[in-house]
């Protein structure tokens, strides 16, 4: 008895084009990601730097208000954040330094 194979669609010379196209699009995707990576890293670094500048300005503001009220500089951070003498806080919280590394 003869074995009958199912009928294949398409010509024999056109096999593998879908795989080839997928590999081509994957290569294009990888190249575009390699180009976009430095931009994304720079944007993240810029956001961290902006946040650090804002925190620094908050410290400057707190120290200035403390000096205007007490006529001396604060000795520790708790002087700015905890209501001790007059029941006044000069900063809401003590901010931690954010890590910002140059790429």
């Amino acid at each position: 008895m003869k074995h009958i194979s199912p009928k294949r669609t398409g010509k024999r010379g056109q096999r593998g084009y879908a795989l080839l196209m997928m590999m081509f699009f994957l290569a294009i995707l990888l190249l575009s990601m390699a180009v976009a990576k430095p931009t994304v890293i720079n944007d993240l670094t810029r956001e961290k730097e902006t946040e650090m500048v804002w925190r620094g300005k908050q410290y400057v503001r707190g120290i200035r208000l403390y000096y205007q009220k007490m006529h001396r500089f604060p000795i520790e951070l708790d002087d700015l954040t905890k209501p001790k003498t007059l029941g006044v806080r000069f900063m809401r919280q003590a901010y931690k330094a954010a890590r910002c590394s140059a790429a």
Side-chain angles (χ1 to χ4, degrees), residues 42-56:
N42 286 342
D43 289 344
L44 291 175
T45 304
R46 196 168 292 127
E47 286 178 19
K48 287 181 183 179
E49 289 171 349
T50 304
E51 177 70 19
M52 287 185 354
V53 168
W54 182 83
R55 289 178 181 190

Side-chain angles (χ1 to χ4, degrees), residues 31-43:
L31 285 174
S32 65
M33 287 176 62
V35 169
K37 181 182 175 189
T39 305
V40 171
I41 290 174
N42 286 342
D43 289 344

Side-chain angles (χ1 to χ4, degrees), residues 4-70:
I4 301 172
S5 63
K7 194 172 187 180
R8 295 184 181 165
T9 59
K11 297 180 181 176
R12 189 171 184 92
Q14 293 182 356
R15 289 186 194 164
Y17 278 113
L19 180 62
L20 184 63
M21 291 301 290
M22 290 296 289
M23 290 177 66
F24 174 74
F25 286 126
L26 183 61
I28 295 294
L29 178 68
L30 288 174
L31 285 174
S32 65
M33 287 176 62
V35 169
K37 181 182 175 189
T39 305
V40 171
I41 290 174
N42 286 342
D43 289 344
L44 291 175
T45 304
R46 196 168 292 127
E47 286 178 19
K48 287 181 183 179
E49 289 171 349
T50 304
E51 177 70 19
M52 287 185 354
V53 168
W54 182 83
R55 289 178 181 190
K57 288 181 180 180
Q58 293 299 308
Y59 276 108
V60 168
R61 179 182 174 273
I63 292 170
R64 184 177 295 130
L65 291 173
Y66 187 92
Y67 186 80
Q68 287 174 354
K69 193 81 164 176
M70 304 290 194

